[in-house]
Amino acid sequence: MAQIVDTSDFYPGLKFKWQEGMWEVVNFMHHKMGRGGATVRTKMRNLETRSTIEYSFRSGERFERIVFDEKPAQYLYKEGDGYVFMDLASYDQIYLSAEVLGDTVNYLKDNLEVSLDLFEGKIMGIDLPDRVELKIVETQPGYKGDTVSGATKPAKLETGLSINVPMFVNEGEVVVVDTRSASYLERAKK
């Protein structure tokens, strides 16, 4: 039975059917106008083409929610333009293109456990853990005493992702990164 959601149920990551396609909410904002009804301005990603669009829905519009089957997998390595995962149940190797993975490639490191999102037998993408530990490969040197200022500096991580980190974090350190917001959380515990 199809699960129906409306615009009041939107949250980042919600997947739904709209205009013959499958979409994921990236972000949204409710907007109430002086006269007339409210609208929901939505930025969303097409799960098949990976393109992103912005669209305004009338408040209360209804959609069929997409529920994916999840299959545990482990990232193994990059091969050419694609990425190789191992199905943790059958030990089969699965090759996924960068187009299918989208921005999640910025968090992939060897042996990272993920969930493959399957819809009608087709892999639509992966779900990452909320937090991953990545090593800083390039940043300006830190200074003693820069712990309270709240200032940040850019840092390049081992996967190529660039984030802002506090001034006291140095090159070579491992940090915990929030995969939902691409932001620094803390230094990794040793």
Side-chain angles (χ1 to χ4, degrees):
M1 188 169 106
Q3 187 177 1
I4 303 298
V5 294
D6 69 30
T7 55
S8 65
D9 299 319
F10 276 9
Y11 62 87
L14 174 75
K15 296 163 180 80
F16 64 98
K17 288 185 179 180
W18 177 66
Q19 290 189 347
E20 308 293 324
M22 294 186 287
W23 298 85
E24 176 182 16
V25 174
V26 176
N27 60 41
F28 67 97
M29 183 175 69
H30 289 276
H31 183 69
K32 173 73 173 133
M33 296 190 243
R35 291 183 174 192
T39 60
V40 180
R41 292 183 183 155
T42 309
K43 182 176 183 181
M44 52 196 182
R45 179 181 304 114
N46 186 303
L47 295 174
E48 294 161 308
T49 65
R50 307 307 287 175
S51 62
T52 305
I53 66 166
E54 292 186 17
Y55 191 82
S56 291
F57 295 104
R58 289 187 317 275
S59 185
E61 273 192 70
R62 300 169 60 114
F63 309 95
E64 181 182 340
R65 181 178 182 185
I66 299 172
V67 179
F68 287 122
D69 295 323
E70 293 186 354
K71 182 184 278 194
Q74 183 178 52
Y75 172 66
L76 297 178
Y77 56 89
K78 183 175 187 207
E79 183 179 287
D81 291 339
Y83 298 81
V84 180
F85 294 82
M86 177 177 62
D87 182 328
L88 291 176
S90 67
Y91 301 108
D92 291 337
Q93 288 192 0
I94 301 161
Y95 180 87
L96 296 176
S97 68
E99 291 78 36
V100 169
L101 296 172
D103 294 337
T104 60
V105 298
N106 292 321
Y107 305 98
L108 295 178
K109 65 182 235 177
D110 294 352
N111 303 320
L112 179 69
E113 291 194 12
V114 300
S115 292
L116 301 175
D117 288 336
L118 296 152
F119 185 72
E120 297 176 351
K122 182 180 177 188
I123 298 174
M124 302 302 293
I126 63 171
D127 274 340
L128 296 166
D130 292 342
R131 306 158 62 109
V132 294
E133 293 183 2
L134 297 170
K135 185 176 181 178
I136 296 176
V137 294
E138 186 181 309
T139 191
Q140 300 167 355
Y143 299 102
K144 196 169 187 169
D146 272 340
T147 57
V148 214
S149 66
T152 60
K153 61 184 179 181
K156 186 174 181 181
L157 305 176
E158 62 185 297
T159 60
L161 177 67
S162 291
I163 63 169
N164 288 324
V165 297
M167 297 298 280
F168 59 84
V169 177
N170 293 310
E171 197 169 294
E173 289 190 70
V174 177
V175 294
V176 179
V177 179
D178 186 328
T179 59
R180 298 162 296 185
S181 61
S183 60
Y184 166 88
L185 292 174
E186 62 187 358
R187 287 178 171 160
K189 309 284 188 272
K190 292 183 179 168

